[in-house]
Amino acid sequence: MLFARAIALGLSSLLFIDPMQVKDLTIEELKLLIQETVVETIQSLLIDPDEGKQVKPEVKQQLLDSLQRTQAGEGGIPAKEIAKKLGLQWE
C-alpha cells in the first residue's frame, strides 16, 4: 500500500507521508527511493548557477577579442607557463 501511494503521489512525497525507517521499506520502495535520490543528485549537479544572468559588456568584449586573436593564429599563454606562475607542476 505504501508503494502504491508512492507511485500515485510521486516518490519524493513518500518521505512526507509517514515517518518511517529504511527497515520498514520493501525492496521495491528502497529501489525507488535510491533511484529518486540519484536523479535529484544528478539534476542538482546539472543546474547552471549563472542561468539568467547577464555577461557584463566589458567581459563580453574581452572574450570576443580573445576569440579574434585565436582565430588570427595568435597563441595564448602555454598552460605550462601558467602552472609555473601558480606554483603548480605541469607534465
Side-chain angles (χ1 to χ4, degrees):
M1 92 181 131
L2 189 57
F3 179 70
R5 285 192 292 174
I7 291 177
L9 297 173
L11 185 61
S12 58
S13 300
L14 176 66
L15 299 176
F16 302 106
I17 295 172
D18 295 315
M20 63 172 52
Q21 296 182 3
V22 173
K23 68 179 182 72
D24 298 327
L25 296 174
T26 66
I27 292 174
E28 288 304 313
E29 289 168 342
L30 181 59
K31 285 180 181 180
L32 281 172
L33 183 60
I34 292 169
Q35 181 181 11
E36 180 71 16
T37 302
V38 169
V39 168
E40 288 176 3
T41 301
I42 291 171
Q43 287 174 342
S44 73
L45 293 173
L46 296 177
I47 292 173
D48 182 358
D50 296 326
E51 185 176 346
K53 293 183 179 178
Q54 296 291 324
V55 175
K56 292 182 181 180
E58 57 270 17
V59 173
K60 184 176 181 179
Q61 189 59 52
Q62 289 173 354
L63 291 171
L64 290 172
D65 293 345
S66 176
L67 179 61
Q68 285 178 337
R69 287 192 304 273
T70 301
Q71 290 174 340
E74 188 177 322
I77 302 171
K80 189 173 187 175
E81 187 177 323
I82 298 292
K84 185 177 179 181
K85 285 181 182 181
L86 295 173
L88 304 172
Q89 191 170 10
W90 186 268
E91 301 204 25

